[in-house]
Amino acid sequence: MLSEDSIHPQSYAAGFSGALLDPAQMPPAILNDPPAARLSRRYNIYRNNVIVSLFDALAAIYPAVQRITGVDFFRAMARFHVRACPPRSPLLFEYGRDFPVFIEQYEYARPLPYLADVARLERAWLDAYHAADVEPLPPSAFASLPPDKLADIILTPHPATRIVRSDTSSVTLFAAYRTERDSPSSLQVADREDALVTRPGLDIIVQYLPPGQSTFLEALVSGHPLGQAAAMAFEDSSAFDIAIGIAGMIEAGAFCAIRVGEPQ
């Protein structure tokens, strides 16, 4: 039986969900169906189902993170995250968007400085998976441009394109632990690895970016013309190769439209 305050849908939803993620809390006052013992048991069953579904959602979104830490560690970390960060969307694939930041702040994950970087890469993978379907820019779009206009072109990023920068070997770890294959016994995780994540067709691409390339692509995604983006990449790394950079972004389908902007 529901109390009179629970008749309004929004009031009922807020009252019912307030104690769902914390087992230490009593069932909400809007539920007044006697006897209390039966009410508490029924609510605890529902609460357990909700929490387990959120654990499972995080494990599905971050499989590499779970394989790196092990199931027990992951579920303990997930338990704290679920209590600190309740869902804000009815769509489960939207849950855990702030999990990488939580991992950075999680005390027991500090010995694993690469863990949050791998989580960011996994989140980008899922976002690319759900991005809109758009045809990537064909190589012919560049071939038809006059050479003196190349520096001024502005590219529209493909909806699936994400640039993920990290101070650790996140791409190597992602590739090693993402699937259920035997994970390596040891890896070098000190090297910085940036990644391009996109989905020009049906398959998601996670591609290591050589020095300067992430700066180049980030500048293009932000709307800088190609010449300015190249200058920023050269400033970031003298090893940047603009020919390889342009070829790589075309091959990966990182952009979907092109226009000539005003000369800089």
Side-chain angles (χ1 to χ4, degrees):
M1 181 177 180
L2 304 178
S3 67
E4 293 180 0
D5 293 337
S6 68
I7 295 176
H8 192 283
Q10 291 183 341
S11 298
Y12 172 70
F16 184 82
S17 62
L20 270 179
L21 303 181
D22 187 355
Q25 292 192 36
M26 297 295 293
I30 61 169
L31 302 176
N32 58 0
D33 182 19
R38 186 175 66 184
L39 171 62
S40 179
R41 183 169 60 252
R42 291 168 61 185
Y43 189 79
N44 283 338
I45 291 172
Y46 185 82
R47 173 159 50 196
N48 183 69
N49 290 339
V50 170
I51 292 175
V52 169
S53 70
L54 295 178
F55 286 178
D56 292 343
L58 288 175
I61 296 168
Y62 301 100
V65 171
Q66 180 171 256
R67 292 191 182 102
I68 290 172
T69 63
V71 173
D72 291 342
F73 184 99
F74 184 89
R75 292 183 77 83
M77 182 166 61
R79 183 175 294 105
F80 285 101
H81 177 267
V82 165
R83 293 182 188 176
C85 307
R88 293 187 292 270
S89 167
L91 304 175
L92 274 180
F93 75 83
E94 286 289 348
Y95 186 61
R97 190 168 293 279
D98 43 9
F99 195 45
V101 174
F102 176 86
I103 292 173
E104 280 185 323
Q105 301 168 350
Y106 185 59
E107 178 182 0
Y108 300 104
R110 288 176 184 170
L112 308 173
Y114 46 82
L115 200 62
D117 290 334
V118 175
R120 288 190 184 90
L121 200 47
E122 295 205 275
R123 185 73 237 184
W125 189 99
L126 186 67
D127 288 340
Y129 179 85
H130 287 286
D133 293 324
V134 176
E135 285 294 320
L137 197 65
S140 58
F142 287 87
S144 61
L145 288 170
D148 61 337
K149 297 293 185 182
L150 284 176
D152 301 322
I153 65 172
I154 296 174
L155 298 163
T156 301
H158 190 282
T161 294
R162 305 287 188 278
I163 311 300
V164 182
R165 308 189 75 162
S166 71
D167 293 325
T168 60
S169 302
S170 58
V171 181
T172 299
L173 289 165
F174 174 89
Y177 287 94
R178 178 74 180 180
T179 67
E180 294 183 356
R181 296 173 300 180
D182 291 338
S183 300
S185 57
S186 63
L187 284 172
Q188 297 295 322
V189 295
D191 296 333
R192 174 175 182 164
E193 291 184 348
D194 298 335
L196 165 65
V197 182
T198 192
R199 182 180 54 79
L202 296 177
D203 297 325
I204 300 172
I205 296 172
V206 178
Q207 178 177 304
Y208 165 75
L209 296 175
Q213 183 77 343
S214 54
T215 299
F216 179 59
L217 291 178
E218 278 189 334
L220 292 174
V221 167
S222 299
H224 293 282
L226 188 142
Q228 191 177 91
M232 295 167 69
F234 279 121
E235 184 177 350
D236 179 51
S237 174
S238 60
F240 174 69
D241 188 315
I242 188 170
I244 294 176
I246 294 175
M249 73 182 190
I250 296 174
E251 182 180 355
F255 297 89
C256 60
I258 188 171
R259 66 182 177 88
V260 179
E262 294 295 326
Q264 297 295 302

